[in-house]
Amino acid sequence: MRTDIGQVFKLEDYRPSDYFIPETKLTFRLSPEKTMVVALLTLERRDGVDVSAPLVLAGDGPMRLVRVEVDGKALSPEDYEATPDSLTLAKLPAARRFTLLMETQLAPSQNETLMGLYRSSGVYCTQCEAEGFRRIVYFLDRPDILSVYTVRIEALKSEAPLLLSNGNPVESGKLEGGRHYAVWHDPFPKPSYLFALVAGDLGRITDSFTTMSGKKVDLGIYVEHGKEKLAHYAMDALKRSMKWDEETFGCEYDLDVFNIVAVSDFNMGAMENKGLNIFNDKYVLADRETATDADFANIEAIIAHEYFHNWTGNRITCRDWFQLCLKEGLTVFRDHEFSADQRSRPVKRIAEVRTLRAHQFPEDQGPLAHPVRPRRYREINNFYTATVYEKGSEVVRMIRTILGAETFRQGMDLYFLRHDGEAATIEDFIRVFEDVSGRDLSQFALWYHQAGTPNVTVGSSHNPATQEFTLEIEQSVPPTPSESRKRLMHIPLAFGLVGRNGKDLVYSNAEGASVENGVIHIRKRRHTVRFSGITERPAISLNRGFSAPLTLAVEQSADDKFFLAGNDSDEFSRWQAFNTLLTDALIDAFRQILGGKKPIFVARLTSLAGKIAGDETLEPAYRALALMLPSEADIARDIGKNIDPDAIFAGREALAVAIAKENQAVFTHLYETLQDRGEFSPNAKDAGRRALRNMLLDYLCLLPGGAKLTLRHFHDATNMTDRAAALTMLAHRHHGSPEAIEALGAFETRYASDPLVMDKWFQIQASVPGPQTVESVRALTSHPAFSMTNPNRLRSLVGTFSAANQTGFHRPDGEGYRLFVETVLDVEKRNPQMASRLATALRSWRSLEPVRQAKAREALLAMANTENLSADLRDIIERTLA
Ligand code: BES
Ligand code: ZN
């Protein structure tokens, strides 16, 4: 484990390497306790670099260097200096090209970091992004070093009949002593973080895809024996992704094979290694019995995401890790578009915005705020953030909004043409769009360089005499850590002036800002935008489709808000209008409760919920999202300070009960008519129907007889979506009831031997609101299905408790934090990356009320004062406290 030495990496320090590695030949002799790796590198000195320039390779972890040779001649130990984190060669051949051979010894079965080469359920696998390759062999482990890899794997055939690496298979055969080998060659130069190896005994399903130029690609998905039938949905998603990328971006697959391997111990969701994607099995395995509709949608999105990296990330990679959003933000944008095309565009957009607000906004508004392209880091693993990913995707979306879809596509084409085979930067990316459009995007580029969520405030007035409608728009960007002064942004604000008939009014002229294709371009601090030819006072619909990731405060009457919630032609904004009404009511309820009063809700609001539920012109999935109340965390974020999670919870439950009571008849009727009929399908239409039905039950379960009704739903369920939904309602809203106890027991018995389903059982219990959950989570850590070493188990139980249980985690006596600190410190000894991800749960501690805030600070200090913290965890804790 790399403990912290306080080293800071800076963007401005980037220098090209003195040496390149055009070719890399690796031989792995696999064995659990003693794996030998021979790396034969062809090295090349960069033009103009002096022969005396030392070669410094990066290393990490407990690997043992047993041999070093230059140009075939063994070096004696005084010819090089090897430390755990580097290998330095000072005397090198005068020739520009030479070879370096290194042999290292590893113990994959001892590797609990899940980085480098490790074993997961007896399968050898690798994870090299961002800096894991250096745990296998010393290397120029940086993304601008592109090398052509040939990999030979040798292993005991009985233990590892399957031997996979990147690229195409070239050769395989038998060896002595029951061993065998396979050789793989990847013709595309790639950075070391895309290297992968898998060896083990796995089942597989196969298929093929014929690309647009007629090339046949063999597809394989490898899973634990017996689970093959659970991989078909993933295979289908893969083929749809391949087709979509050809149709939408002209991107064709480039190797003869594409393999996906599912492993059960994986820190992240999945990894895009060239031709050999490695997945957390949670994002591959699914059928109606074990996976919810949300699981199916995630699988589809992640399969697509990793596949799309083949062009955005692999063929064009990043110059350095500061450019991470170049591949991640762009690829998230691509997977979002894919899902929107495969499913429902407005529903997908609403879900994206909910995720952005839930994860990226708190990051941007708290101590861990950083630009989409950061300028400094201490530990790169901590920068795989919602800002880099989600906001990074929004920035690409804004480029498309500004340029229009056609010009955007031309820019992408130019990007692929100009930078294929290169390690590029954000500047390169922006330049292609400037070049195809002739626009100056320098002010826009601040979205990459400046942290913080902009605030936009809007006031309006209508003058019937002059038929003029005026918007007063003002932008500001709040200060963030180490950036107190902010520059003005270029904000593309999509809008509509909605007339009384629900249609957008047509204006004859707009001045005060450039207004094109339904978008106001905000570039200054203040704009007074005047629309002429407006005869009636419109309701203003702003930031349509969430055209820019900002917070918006519009001076607007309740009448206008209700009008938009029922009539806005932009489905996103219509959802937003209703959601804003709900949020306003919830904030008001929070204040009432703190003041010792009982919250009351206007019937105009609660009955609108019933109207939306029954509106047949809206798709069910959309109605389900509209009826979903803002989460406790959403409400807390909008209140901003002095948060008392118990009061937020009480207000939210009160609104849910009020909506349920007001609409009991409509909801009950709809609940019955939406019942499953016919064959199960995970498609968006059926999933939407289930989502709406479960959302209705979520209200009905609060009424008298609700527990019985929900238990019946649980027992009648023919798929995991319905079963898990009912179990959640019973466990959360009828905690301790006979019905809840029965359902939890039945679920446990039915799925005891299926770890991925047991994760749901852990998750549901970890998110039960209330003070008692600390104790139940603690007790569940001793459950036979739980494991402190498996990331999925940990995330389900401790991750859910700390990130998604406001009342339990933030228990005023600090017991929630105590459990959290114990777990984080325990996990970090084995898996620092996992520990630091868990630790971000306290990032919004300063917005809590004083009692909880003091306890949270104590917890953070307890971690900060621990000796020998990993670089990963120390970085998060210190920034959180700063
Ligand atoms: N390249 C990442 C995986 C990764 C993340 C490796 C962090 C090393 C450190 C991969 O493409 C990715 O982004 N995976 C996401 C899922 C995706 C759908 C956003 C993940 O693993 O969460
Ligand atoms: Zn990615």
Side-chain angles (χ1 to χ4, degrees), residues 78-310:
E78 37 319 335
D79 296 333
Y80 60 89
E81 197 197 328
T83 69
D85 52 17
S86 66
L87 172 65
T88 307
L89 299 154
K91 277 184 294 174
L92 291 164
R96 204 165 74 93
R97 259 183 183 245
F98 56 94
T99 65
L100 169 65
L101 181 145
M102 291 168 289
E103 185 168 15
T104 55
Q105 181 185 329
L106 312 172
S109 62
Q110 309 290 314
N111 182 357
E112 292 183 299
T113 61
L114 312 189
M115 290 288 286
L117 176 67
Y118 66 97
R119 300 246 292 171
S120 171
S121 306
V123 177
Y124 295 92
C125 62
T126 55
Q127 172 56 40
C128 292
E129 188 178 3
E131 298 178 334
F133 191 78
R134 61 183 66 181
R135 301 176 146 271
I136 296 171
V137 68
Y138 291 99
F139 205 74
L140 293 174
D141 189 15
R142 44 186 278 176
D144 61 345
I145 296 295
L146 306 183
S147 190
V148 172
Y149 285 68
T150 306
V151 180
R152 179 184 165 99
I153 312 168
E154 302 179 7
L156 212 53
K157 188 159 188 181
S158 57
E159 191 185 70
L162 172 74
L163 305 173
L164 300 176
S165 190
N166 315 92
N168 297 319
V170 233
E171 196 192 327
S172 61
K174 274 176 104 159
L175 296 168
E176 274 170 25
R179 295 177 74 81
H180 71 147
Y181 74 94
V183 179
W184 291 79
H185 177 74
D186 180 0
F188 296 95
K190 66 169 175 288
S192 49
Y193 82 85
L194 290 173
F195 166 79
L197 169 158
V198 171
D201 190 0
L202 291 165
R204 74 160 184 191
I205 63 166
T206 58
D207 207 325
S208 72
F209 179 82
T210 304
T211 69
M212 58 190 186
S213 67
K215 207 175 92 158
K216 184 164 165 273
V217 182
D218 290 322
L219 311 175
I221 300 187
Y222 295 84
V223 298
E224 203 179 290
H225 283 294
K227 305 233 155 131
E228 294 85 348
K229 63 180 191 309
L230 299 176
H232 293 291
Y233 182 79
M235 182 65 91
D236 181 55
L238 173 61
K239 289 190 292 179
R240 285 186 281 122
S241 306
M242 296 177 88
K243 185 109 191 85
W244 184 91
D245 214 12
E246 292 184 346
E247 289 170 356
T248 314
F249 284 103
C251 291
E252 185 175 2
Y253 189 63
D254 51 12
L255 290 165
D256 304 338
V257 301
F258 186 78
N259 287 316
I260 291 176
V261 180
V263 300
S264 50
D265 299 87
F266 202 71
N267 277 341
M268 303 297 298
M271 177 64 209
E272 71 265 26
N273 318 297
K274 182 81 186 188
L276 177 55
N277 289 0
I278 299 181
F279 270 63
N280 186 325
D281 57 0
K282 170 180 163 62
Y283 296 119
V284 173
L285 304 174
D287 69 1
R288 68 192 282 177
E289 175 66 17
T290 59
T292 61
D293 292 326
D295 292 328
F296 281 105
N298 276 332
I299 290 170
E300 178 179 89
I302 301 186
I303 292 271
H305 177 97
E306 306 311 337
Y307 174 73
F308 296 158
H309 268 314
N310 192 56

Side-chain angles (χ1 to χ4, degrees), residues 3 70 253 297 568 777 841:
T3 50
V70 170
Y253 189 63
D568 198 323
V777 168

Side-chain angles (χ1 to χ4, degrees), residues 129 270 272 305-306 309 312 327-329 331-332 335 384 389:
E129 188 178 3
E272 71 265 26
H305 177 97
E306 306 311 337
H309 268 314
T312 51
K327 75 177 179 83
E328 294 302 348
T331 305
V332 169
D335 84 56
Y384 287 76
Y389 275 67

